[in-house]
Amino acid sequence: MNILPTGAAMLMAAGLAFSTYTSAQAQDASCEIDRPVMFAGLNYDSALFHNAVARFIIEKGYGCKTDALPGDVIPLLTGAGKGDIDVVMEIWRDNVADAWKKAEAAGNVTQIGVNFDDAVEGWFVPRYVIEGDKERGIEPMAPDLKSVDDLPKYADLFEDAEEPGKGRFYNCPAGWVCEKVNSGKLAAYGLNDSFTNFRPGTGAALSAAIASAHKRGEPALYYYWGPTWVMGLYDSYRLEEPAYDQAIFDKLKTDENPTKATAYPESTVTVGVNTEFMKSAPKLIEFLTHYETSNAMVSEMLAYMQENGEKPEDAALYFLKEKPGVWKAWVPEKVAERVEAAL
């Protein structure tokens, strides 16, 4: 009989045990569906970050393959209704596109969980404009500025260099829904005579203008939203507006000369899925239903991404390493172990 040395026998036993363990692990991590899970590759930072986090967990924790189809909101939401897209990580419930509403009414898509319920939109100024910043030696410039009603007396503070005598309001780029809403608000608040309606050419140009003002310690009046890296990096003060009224808000999108305006809603952002995918992947649906973040948390991650020149995938890894107490609550213990091992 050929007897192996004790050490070799131990190694073989260990090898067999490891093989058994990895086989069991692989079996535990076998995916429910035999094709890649397709994500909507919405072309803005917060959605790309959420995609990266969810895809890493699904790949490493559930043994699935994933992919993303890049594009704009309406084509991708239409694709979710047709079954070309499985998962949309950001459905802005209070301002959702008609393409999603139609697909939802037909039973082709479903909202399964709240990603974050404190998304913010509004008109902002840097906080130092009102409160100053002792560390930077900035004195308060408009200590009484609290509301949109106060803006006419501060037009000179936000002077538009290209149109002296008027202040500048940084609106959204032309073609965005918020550009129409903000233009309506300027008219309804009676600000067209005292402020220019400045529309940067791109979203990047808008964020660059805001960042430049903050870095220089200069006054600026702008529309923005969160979660974004801008909200994560720069302390902005949201001006008070009349309480949100849906009927008034909807009219701002279409009325050329509105007489009333209202604040933006504090939006709830959900995770949306194709209904057939939901039926075929209950374990993944359970994870996606429990996926939950916040405006502040995501803005923090996007600020990290911006400051360090990282990609969404890098920010996702940073999040998974730094916030285990958050994401482990979304998944079963075995899945969390596999994800943690992959990190």
Side-chain angles (χ1 to χ4, degrees), residues 216-235:
R216 295 168 181 265
E218 296 175 347
L221 171 65
Y222 48 90
Y223 162 87
Y224 220 70
W225 73 96
T228 52
W229 65 264
V230 168
M231 291 289 117
L233 280 180
Y234 304 116
D235 192 1

Side-chain angles (χ1 to χ4, degrees), residues 122-142:
W123 289 16
F124 295 88
V125 298
R127 188 171 295 276
Y128 56 72
V129 166
I130 297 167
E131 300 177 6
D133 186 336
K134 288 184 179 180
E135 288 186 9
R136 299 175 66 188
I138 300 174
E139 294 292 327
M141 307 170 193

